[in-house]
Amino acid sequence: MKHILRSQDFDINFLDNIFHSVNSMMAANRPQTMRGKVMCSLFYEPSTRTRLSFESAHLKLGGSVIGTENAGEFSSSVKGETLEDSIRVISSYSDLIVLRHSDNNAAERAARVSLCPIINAGSGTGQHPTQSLTDLYTIKKRRGMIEGTSIAIAGDLKHGRTARSLAYLLSKYPAVKIYFVAPDELQMDQDLIEYLISKGVHFGTFDSFDPIIGEVDVIYQTRLQRERHGKENHHYNLDITAATIAKMKSGSIVMHPLPRNEEIHSDVDALPNAAYFEQAANSLWVRMALLDYLFK
Ligand code: NCD
């Protein structure tokens, strides 16, 4: 049984396979790999893109969908049922479970007891591996390659799971340079930094775009994860405007997993560098390719 739990578990061969089949997902005669299969989308945290693109992907591949977008309220978790017990039962009704949860270890906990594959659709401040597949695909599509990409990953890196999953995935490609741009108190956690060191990845940490803005091919911007801050009140300004873009190399791009707040101004949207809505659109085809790969 193949679970999708963490992005460092993907290998380059697997990634190539997924990326190669994306175009065939867009074709009218796409495979109907999920016919007769039931996907449960089990979301304990809010979602727009991840849930709807997974559900659409599964439907387009011929499958059916059950689930709840607010499992914290509309499931037996209200009655005190553990995640493990819920998964034991739901996995006996489903052929796969797409799970989003506030616990960093939720996907691993679910996989331990599940009767069907678990796909991690975002676990606390831990990981969001299928978002990083979309992110990488978008870089490849826009730049033609991932090797040699110089990228600034910016924002609330301490609490943002998409930034972590993307850094793990990029570390698999040669000559990648990763610059983490965040205020000190929201910088990338040490465990990931140590992972990059152990893999010999070129990286740096900064609290402003200024030192690297003219060098990077990609800015991967993220929002302040206010809902994960408790009583702390963080403020910083790493906003990207059309004036920021003017300092970037020609052909460089700006990405964002969305939702965005004020960290990318709307004057960027119409610029050719803006790749974030395309990135969100790509997630449908990439998730179809992933489901097809896992179940064919
Ligand atoms: C992200 C998430 O949920 O981690 N959104 C997404 O899935 N595209 C990013 C975020 O919430 O900031």
Side-chain angles (χ1 to χ4, degrees):
M1 197 157 51
K2 297 176 202 146
H3 303 289
I4 302 293
L5 306 178
R6 319 180 304 168
S7 64
Q8 62 268 46
D9 298 337
F10 297 139
D11 63 38
I12 300 256
N13 188 31
F14 165 90
L15 295 165
D16 283 347
N17 266 302
I18 301 283
F19 297 158
H20 276 129
S21 69
V22 169
N23 280 346
S24 57
M25 298 300 134
M26 298 177 190
N29 64 343
R30 60 182 155 252
Q32 292 294 289
T33 321
M34 304 313 285
R35 183 173 289 146
K37 298 214 178 333
V38 172
M39 177 183 100
C40 177
S41 59
L42 191 60
F43 279 66
Y44 290 82
E45 284 191 339
S47 171
T48 302
R49 280 148 287 272
T50 307
R51 184 173 68 82
L52 294 176
S53 64
F54 256 119
E55 293 187 1
S56 180
H58 195 258
L59 293 167
K60 279 177 182 284
L61 292 172
S64 323
V65 175
I66 58 172
T68 165
E69 70 212 54
N70 188 354
E73 208 176 313
F74 301 138
S75 79
S76 286
S77 117
V78 182
K79 304 179 189 172
E81 185 168 65
T82 62
L83 175 68
E84 281 80 357
D85 281 1
S86 296
I87 295 291
R88 280 187 184 100
V89 175
I90 295 166
S91 66
S92 69
Y93 307 150
S94 313
D95 297 288
L96 83 147
I97 296 174
V98 178
L99 174 69
R100 171 169 289 191
H101 198 281
S102 57
D103 178 7
N104 290 10
N105 297 314
E108 282 83 358
R109 285 170 55 199
R112 246 172 257 137
V113 297
S114 181
L115 303 169
C116 71
I118 298 289
I119 297 183
N120 180 0
S123 49
T125 58
Q127 286 225 21
H128 193 348
T130 68
Q131 177 66 40
S132 62
L133 286 181
T134 303
D135 299 340
L136 219 60
Y137 176 77
T138 305
I139 294 172
K140 194 175 165 74
K141 202 169 160 205
R142 279 289 191 118
R143 296 197 66 242
M145 63 185 147
I146 298 158
E147 299 76 9
T149 299
S150 169
I151 182 170
I153 302 182
D156 183 356
L157 306 181
K158 191 172 190 59
H159 302 100
R161 55 198 174 199
T162 67
R164 290 175 62 81
S165 282
L166 179 60
Y168 276 122
L169 212 50
L170 282 167
S171 73
K172 297 183 179 287
Y173 289 82
V176 163
K177 293 182 182 164
I178 305 177
Y179 303 118
F180 296 115
V181 181
D184 281 353
E185 69 277 16
L186 298 176
Q187 259 299 354
M188 186 53 85
D189 271 341
Q190 200 55 31
D191 65 325
L192 196 135
I193 299 288
E194 276 157 24
Y195 181 86
L196 296 181
I197 293 170
S198 76
K199 300 285 172 191
V201 178
H202 180 105
F203 75 94
T205 55
F206 298 91
D207 61 6
S208 131
F209 287 116
D210 294 339
I212 43 92
I213 188 79
E215 188 201 318
V216 293
D217 306 297
V218 181
I219 292 180
Y220 186 91
Q221 178 68 303
T222 63
R223 77 184 165 90
L224 194 57
Q225 305 274 311
R226 288 195 177 87
E227 72 275 28
R228 305 196 194 278
H229 290 173
K231 288 202 187 77
E232 308 144 50
N233 208 355
H234 296 286
H235 288 290
Y236 58 86
N237 186 351
L238 290 173
D239 291 5
I240 294 172
T241 65
T244 320
I245 306 285
K247 298 181 198 157
M248 295 181 76
K249 289 196 299 203
S250 85
S252 57
I253 59 171
V254 177
M255 299 173 62
H256 193 304
L258 304 179
R260 78 165 146 185
N261 300 142
E262 60 286 347
E263 66 277 359
I264 299 180
H265 290 204
S266 57
D267 63 356
V268 177
D269 296 359
L271 301 177
N273 317 68
Y276 29 95
F277 291 116
E278 178 188 323
Q279 182 187 351
N282 288 341
S283 75
L284 169 64
W285 311 110
V286 171
R287 287 183 169 122
M288 283 174 76
L290 173 67
L291 292 176
D292 182 60
Y293 179 87
L294 292 177
F295 285 87
K296 77 183 165 210

Coordinates of all heavy atoms in Angstrom, one line a residue, residues 65-128:
V65 N -16.7 10.4 -4.7 CA -16.1 11.0 -3.5 C -17.1 11.1 -2.4 O -18.3 11.4 -2.6 CB -15.8 12.5 -3.9 CG1 -15.3 13.3 -2.7 CG2 -14.7 12.5 -5.0
I66 N -16.7 10.7 -1.2 CA -17.4 11.0 0.0 C -16.5 11.8 0.9 O -15.3 12.0 0.7 CB -17.8 9.7 0.8 CG1 -16.5 8.8 1.1 CG2 -18.8 8.8 -0.1 CD1 -16.8 7.6 2.0
G67 N -17.1 12.4 2.0 CA -16.2 13.1 2.9 C -16.8 14.2 3.7 O -18.1 14.4 3.6
T68 N -16.0 14.9 4.4 CA -16.5 16.1 5.1 C -15.4 17.2 5.1 O -14.2 16.9 5.2 CB -16.9 15.8 6.6 OG1 -17.0 17.0 7.3 CG2 -15.9 14.9 7.3
E69 N -15.8 18.4 4.8 CA -14.9 19.5 4.8 C -14.6 20.1 6.1 O -13.8 21.0 6.3 CB -15.5 20.6 3.8 CG -16.6 21.4 4.4 CD -17.6 21.8 3.4 OE1 -18.1 21.0 2.6 OE2 -17.9 23.0 3.4
N70 N -15.4 19.6 7.1 CA -15.2 20.2 8.5 C -15.3 19.0 9.5 O -16.2 18.9 10.3 CB -16.3 21.2 8.8 CG -16.0 21.9 10.1 OD1 -15.1 21.6 10.8 ND2 -16.9 22.9 10.3
A71 N -14.3 18.1 9.4 CA -14.4 16.8 10.1 C -14.3 17.1 11.6 O -14.8 16.3 12.4 CB -13.3 15.9 9.7
G72 N -13.7 18.2 12.0 CA -13.6 18.5 13.5 C -15.0 18.7 14.1 O -15.2 18.4 15.2
E73 N -15.9 19.2 13.3 CA -17.3 19.5 13.8 C -18.3 18.4 13.3 O -19.1 18.0 14.1 CB -17.7 20.8 13.2 CG -18.7 21.6 14.1 CD -19.0 23.0 13.6 OE1 -18.0 23.7 13.2 OE2 -20.2 23.3 13.5
F74 N -18.1 18.0 12.1 CA -19.1 17.0 11.5 C -18.6 15.6 11.5 O -18.9 14.9 10.5 CB -19.5 17.5 10.1 CG -20.1 18.8 10.0 CD1 -19.7 19.7 9.0 CD2 -21.0 19.3 11.0 CE1 -20.2 21.0 8.9 CE2 -21.5 20.6 10.9 CZ -21.1 21.4 9.8
S75 N -17.9 15.2 12.5 CA -17.6 13.8 12.6 C -17.6 13.4 14.0 O -17.8 14.2 14.9 CB -16.2 13.5 12.0 OG -15.2 13.9 12.9
S76 N -17.3 12.1 14.3 CA -17.4 11.6 15.7 C -16.2 12.2 16.5 O -16.1 11.9 17.7 CB -17.4 10.1 15.8 OG -18.7 9.7 15.4
S77 N -15.4 13.0 15.9 CA -14.3 13.6 16.7 C -14.9 14.5 17.8 O -14.4 14.7 18.9 CB -13.3 14.3 15.8 OG -13.3 15.7 16.0
V78 N -16.1 15.1 17.5 CA -16.8 15.9 18.5 C -17.2 15.0 19.7 O -17.3 15.5 20.8 CB -18.1 16.5 17.8 CG1 -18.9 17.3 18.8 CG2 -17.8 17.2 16.6
K79 N -17.4 13.8 19.4 CA -17.8 12.9 20.5 C -16.6 12.2 21.2 O -16.7 11.3 22.0 CB -18.7 11.7 20.0 CG -20.0 12.3 19.3 CD -20.8 11.1 18.8 CE -21.9 11.6 17.9 NZ -22.6 10.5 17.2
G80 N -15.4 12.7 20.9 CA -14.2 12.2 21.5 C -13.5 11.1 20.8 O -12.6 10.5 21.4
E81 N -14.0 10.7 19.6 CA -13.3 9.6 18.9 C -11.9 10.0 18.5 O -11.7 11.1 18.0 CB -14.1 9.2 17.7 CG -13.6 8.0 17.0 CD -14.5 7.4 15.9 OE1 -14.8 8.1 14.9 OE2 -15.0 6.3 16.1
T82 N -11.0 9.1 18.6 CA -9.6 9.4 18.2 C -9.5 9.4 16.7 O -10.3 8.7 16.0 CB -8.6 8.4 18.8 OG1 -8.9 7.1 18.2 CG2 -8.6 8.3 20.3
L83 N -8.5 10.1 16.2 CA -8.2 10.0 14.7 C -8.0 8.6 14.3 O -8.5 8.1 13.3 CB -6.9 10.8 14.4 CG -6.5 10.8 13.0 CD1 -7.5 11.5 12.1 CD2 -5.1 11.4 12.8
E84 N -7.3 7.8 15.1 CA -7.0 6.4 14.8 C -8.3 5.6 14.6 O -8.5 4.8 13.6 CB -6.1 5.7 15.8 CG -4.7 6.1 15.7 CD -4.3 7.4 16.3 OE1 -5.2 8.1 16.8 OE2 -3.1 7.8 16.4
D85 N -9.2 5.8 15.6 CA -10.5 5.0 15.5 C -11.3 5.4 14.2 O -11.9 4.6 13.5 CB -11.4 5.2 16.7 CG -10.9 4.3 17.9 OD1 -9.9 3.6 17.7 OD2 -11.5 4.3 19.0
S86 N -11.3 6.8 14.0 CA -12.1 7.2 12.8 C -11.5 6.6 11.5 O -12.2 6.2 10.6 CB -12.0 8.8 12.7 OG -12.7 9.4 13.8
I87 N -10.1 6.6 11.4 CA -9.5 6.1 10.2 C -9.7 4.6 10.1 O -10.0 4.2 9.0 CB -8.0 6.4 10.3 CG1 -7.7 7.9 10.2 CG2 -7.2 5.7 9.2 CD1 -8.0 8.6 8.9
R88 N -9.7 3.9 11.2 CA -10.0 2.4 11.1 C -11.3 2.2 10.4 O -11.4 1.3 9.5 CB -10.0 1.8 12.5 CG -8.6 1.5 13.1 CD -8.7 0.7 14.4 NE -7.4 0.6 14.9 CZ -6.9 1.4 15.9 NH1 -7.7 2.3 16.5 NH2 -5.7 1.2 16.3
V89 N -12.3 3.0 10.8 CA -13.7 2.8 10.3 C -13.8 3.3 8.9 O -14.2 2.6 7.9 CB -14.7 3.4 11.2 CG1 -16.1 3.3 10.6 CG2 -14.6 2.8 12.6
I90 N -13.4 4.6 8.7 CA -13.5 5.2 7.4 C -12.8 4.5 6.3 O -13.2 4.4 5.1 CB -13.1 6.7 7.4 CG1 -14.0 7.5 8.4 CG2 -13.1 7.4 6.0 CD1 -13.5 8.9 8.8
S91 N -11.6 3.9 6.6 CA -10.8 3.2 5.6 C -11.5 1.9 5.2 O -11.2 1.4 4.2 CB -9.4 3.0 6.1 OG -9.4 2.1 7.2
S92 N -12.5 1.4 6.0 CA -13.2 0.2 5.5 C -14.3 0.6 4.6 O -14.9 -0.3 4.0 CB -13.7 -0.6 6.7 OG -14.8 0.2 7.4
Y93 N -14.6 1.9 4.4 CA -15.6 2.4 3.4 C -15.0 3.0 2.2 O -15.7 3.4 1.3 CB -16.5 3.5 4.0 CG -17.1 3.2 5.4 CD1 -17.4 4.3 6.2 CD2 -17.5 2.0 5.8 CE1 -18.0 4.1 7.5 CE2 -18.1 1.7 7.0 CZ -18.3 2.8 7.8 OH -18.9 2.6 9.1
S94 N -13.6 3.1 2.2 CA -13.0 3.9 1.1 C -11.8 3.2 0.5 O -11.3 2.3 1.1 CB -12.4 5.2 1.8 OG -13.3 5.8 2.6
D95 N -11.5 3.6 -0.7 CA -10.3 3.1 -1.4 C -9.1 4.0 -1.2 O -7.9 3.6 -1.4 CB -10.6 2.9 -2.9 CG -11.7 2.0 -3.1 OD1 -11.5 0.7 -2.9 OD2 -12.8 2.4 -3.4
L96 N -9.3 5.2 -0.8 CA -8.2 6.1 -0.4 C -8.8 7.2 0.5 O -10.0 7.5 0.4 CB -7.4 6.7 -1.5 CG -7.9 7.9 -2.2 CD1 -6.7 8.8 -2.7 CD2 -8.7 7.5 -3.4
I97 N -7.9 7.7 1.4 CA -8.3 8.8 2.2 C -7.4 10.0 2.0 O -6.1 9.8 2.1 CB -8.3 8.4 3.7 CG1 -9.4 7.3 4.0 CG2 -8.6 9.7 4.6 CD1 -9.4 6.8 5.4
V98 N -7.9 11.2 1.7 CA -7.1 12.4 1.6 C -7.4 13.2 2.9 O -8.5 13.6 3.2 CB -7.6 13.2 0.4 CG1 -6.8 14.5 0.3 CG2 -7.4 12.4 -0.9
L99 N -6.3 13.3 3.7 CA -6.5 13.8 5.1 C -5.8 15.1 5.3 O -4.6 15.2 5.0 CB -5.9 12.7 6.0 CG -5.8 13.1 7.5 CD1 -7.2 13.1 8.1 CD2 -4.9 12.1 8.3
R100 N -6.5 16.1 5.9 CA -5.9 17.3 6.4 C -6.2 17.4 7.9 O -7.4 17.2 8.3 CB -6.4 18.5 5.6 CG -5.9 19.8 6.3 CD -6.2 21.0 5.5 NE -5.3 21.1 4.3 CZ -5.2 22.1 3.5 NH1 -5.9 23.2 3.7 NH2 -4.4 22.1 2.5
H101 N -5.2 17.7 8.7 CA -5.4 17.7 10.1 C -4.4 18.7 10.8 O -3.3 19.0 10.2 CB -5.1 16.3 10.6 CG -5.7 16.0 12.0 ND1 -5.0 16.4 13.1 CD2 -6.8 15.3 12.4 CE1 -5.7 16.0 14.2 NE2 -6.8 15.4 13.7
S102 N -4.7 19.1 12.0 CA -3.8 20.1 12.6 C -2.6 19.5 13.3 O -1.6 20.2 13.7 CB -4.6 20.9 13.7 OG -5.2 20.0 14.6
D103 N -2.6 18.2 13.5 CA -1.5 17.5 14.1 C -0.4 17.2 13.1 O -0.6 16.6 12.0 CB -1.9 16.2 14.7 CG -0.8 15.4 15.4 OD1 0.3 15.9 15.5 OD2 -1.1 14.2 15.8
N104 N 0.9 17.6 13.4 CA 2.0 17.4 12.5 C 2.2 15.9 12.1 O 2.7 15.6 11.0 CB 3.3 17.9 13.1 CG 3.3 19.4 13.2 OD1 2.3 20.1 13.0 ND2 4.5 19.9 13.5
N105 N 1.8 15.0 13.0 CA 2.0 13.6 12.7 C 0.7 12.8 12.3 O 0.7 11.6 12.3 CB 2.5 12.9 14.0 CG 3.9 13.4 14.3 OD1 4.8 13.6 13.5 ND2 4.1 13.8 15.6
A106 N -0.3 13.6 12.0 CA -1.6 13.0 11.7 C -1.6 12.0 10.6 O -2.1 10.9 10.7 CB -2.7 14.1 11.3
A107 N -0.9 12.3 9.5 CA -0.9 11.4 8.3 C -0.1 10.1 8.7 O -0.6 9.0 8.3 CB -0.2 12.0 7.1
E108 N 1.0 10.2 9.4 CA 1.7 9.0 9.8 C 0.8 8.1 10.8 O 0.8 6.9 10.7 CB 3.0 9.3 10.6 CG 4.1 9.7 9.6 CD 4.1 11.2 9.2 OE1 3.1 11.9 9.6 OE2 5.0 11.6 8.4
R109 N 0.1 8.8 11.7 CA -0.8 8.1 12.7 C -1.9 7.4 11.9 O -2.2 6.2 12.2 CB -1.4 9.1 13.7 CG -0.4 9.6 14.7 CD -1.1 10.8 15.5 NE -2.4 10.4 16.1 CZ -3.3 11.3 16.5 NH1 -3.0 12.6 16.3 NH2 -4.4 11.0 17.0
A110 N -2.4 8.1 10.9 CA -3.5 7.5 10.1 C -3.0 6.3 9.3 O -3.6 5.2 9.3 CB -4.1 8.5 9.2
A111 N -1.8 6.4 8.7 CA -1.2 5.3 7.9 C -1.0 4.1 8.7 O -1.1 3.0 8.2 CB 0.0 5.8 7.2
R112 N -0.7 4.3 10.0 CA -0.4 3.1 10.8 C -1.6 2.2 11.0 O -1.5 1.0 11.2 CB 0.1 3.6 12.2 CG 1.5 3.2 12.5 CD 2.0 3.9 13.8 NE 2.9 5.0 13.4 CZ 2.8 6.2 14.0 NH1 2.0 6.4 15.0 NH2 3.6 7.2 13.7
V113 N -2.8 2.8 11.0 CA -4.0 1.9 11.2 C -4.9 1.8 10.0 O -5.9 1.0 10.1 CB -4.8 2.5 12.4 CG1 -4.0 2.5 13.7 CG2 -5.3 3.9 12.1
S114 N -4.6 2.5 8.9 CA -5.6 2.5 7.8 C -5.5 1.2 7.0 O -4.5 0.6 6.8 CB -5.2 3.7 6.9 OG -6.1 3.8 5.8
L115 N -6.7 0.9 6.5 CA -6.8 -0.3 5.6 C -6.7 0.2 4.1 O -6.7 -0.7 3.2 CB -8.2 -0.9 5.7 CG -8.6 -1.4 7.1 CD1 -10.1 -1.7 7.2 CD2 -7.7 -2.5 7.5
C116 N -6.6 1.5 3.8 CA -6.4 2.0 2.5 C -5.3 3.1 2.5 O -4.9 3.5 3.5 CB -7.7 2.5 1.9 SG -8.3 4.0 2.7
P117 N -4.8 3.4 1.3 CA -3.8 4.5 1.2 C -4.2 5.8 1.8 O -5.4 6.2 1.7 CB -3.5 4.6 -0.3 CG -3.9 3.3 -0.9 CD -5.1 2.9 -0.1
I118 N -3.3 6.5 2.5 CA -3.5 7.8 3.1 C -2.7 8.8 2.3 O -1.5 8.6 2.0 CB -3.0 7.9 4.5 CG1 -3.8 6.9 5.4 CG2 -3.1 9.3 5.1 CD1 -5.2 7.3 5.7
I119 N -3.4 9.9 1.8 CA -2.6 11.0 1.2 C -2.6 12.2 2.2 O -3.7 12.6 2.6 CB -3.2 11.4 -0.1 CG1 -3.1 10.2 -1.1 CG2 -2.5 12.6 -0.7 CD1 -3.6 10.5 -2.5
N120 N -1.5 12.7 2.6 CA -1.4 13.8 3.5 C -1.7 15.1 2.7 O -0.9 15.5 1.8 CB 0.1 13.9 4.0 CG 0.3 15.0 5.0 OD1 -0.7 15.8 5.2 ND2 1.5 15.1 5.5
A121 N -2.8 15.7 3.0 CA -3.2 17.0 2.4 C -2.9 18.2 3.2 O -3.6 19.2 3.1 CB -4.7 16.9 2.0
G122 N -1.9 18.0 4.1 CA -1.5 19.1 5.0 C -1.7 18.7 6.4 O -2.8 18.4 6.9
S123 N -0.5 18.6 7.1 CA -0.6 18.2 8.5 C 0.1 19.3 9.4 O 1.3 19.4 9.4 CB 0.2 16.8 8.7 OG 1.4 16.9 8.1
G124 N -0.7 20.0 10.1 CA -0.3 21.0 11.0 C 0.8 21.9 10.4 O 0.6 22.5 9.3
T125 N 1.9 22.1 11.2 CA 3.0 22.9 10.6 C 4.1 22.0 10.0 O 5.2 22.4 9.9 CB 3.6 23.8 11.7 OG1 4.1 22.9 12.8 CG2 2.7 24.8 12.3
G126 N 3.7 20.7 9.8 CA 4.6 19.7 9.3 C 4.8 19.7 7.8 O 5.8 20.3 7.3
Q127 N 3.9 19.1 7.1 CA 4.2 19.0 5.6 C 2.9 19.0 4.8 O 1.8 18.9 5.3 CB 4.9 17.6 5.4 CG 6.3 17.6 5.8 CD 7.2 17.0 4.7 OE1 6.9 16.9 3.6 NE2 8.4 16.6 5.2
H128 N 3.1 19.3 3.5 CA 2.0 19.3 2.6 C 2.6 18.8 1.2 O 2.8 19.5 0.3 CB 1.5 20.7 2.4 CG 0.2 20.9 1.7 ND1 -0.4 19.9 1.0 CD2 -0.6 22.0 1.6 CE1 -1.6 20.4 0.5 NE2 -1.7 21.6 0.9

